[in-house]
Amino acid sequence: MFKDTLLYIVKQLVDNGDKVDINELVGEQHLTYEIKVDPADLGKVIGKQGRTINALRVLIRAVSNKHGKKAEVNVIEAN
C-alpha cells in the first residue's frame, strides 16, 4: 500500500539505490515493511541515534493510521 513511497524515500537516502529491497507483509489490520539495503548504506537508513529510521516509522505510521491500518518499519541486515 505504502511500499512505493517508502521505496522512493529510502532510495534517495542511500548511495546504492539499486540494492534497496522492501518486503511488505500484509495482515488484516497490520502492515510490516522490511527494508534491506547494502551493508555500506545501513548507517544512512538508520541515521544518528536512529533518527532517520524513526522519522520513516512516524511517517508510515501516520499515513497508515489515516487508512485504518497499523504499520511498522524494520531494517533487515542483508547478507
Side-chain angles (χ1 to χ4, degrees):
M1 181 180 256
F2 312 109
K3 181 179 176 180
D4 295 333
T5 303
L6 189 58
L7 183 64
Y8 176 77
I9 293 170
V10 172
K11 280 187 174 186
Q12 300 307 309
L13 293 172
V14 299
D15 292 330
N16 301 311
D18 56 330
K19 294 187 179 180
V20 174
D21 183 38
I22 298 180
N23 188 21
E24 181 179 42
L25 305 171
V26 180
E28 286 187 33
Q29 292 297 318
H30 194 267
L31 300 169
T32 301
Y33 295 98
E34 297 177 340
I35 302 172
K36 291 181 186 176
V37 296
D38 188 77
D41 291 328
L42 196 57
K44 292 179 181 181
V45 174
I46 294 172
K48 288 186 180 181
Q49 298 179 348
R51 289 185 180 153
T52 304
I53 191 63
N54 285 335
L56 287 172
R57 288 177 176 147
V58 167
L59 178 68
I60 294 299
R61 203 174 302 137
V63 173
S64 66
N65 282 341
K66 280 192 138 188
H67 293 280
K69 298 220 179 219
K70 294 185 182 219
E72 68 179 56
V73 178
N74 298 318
V75 178
I76 307 297
E77 192 170 343
N79 295 330

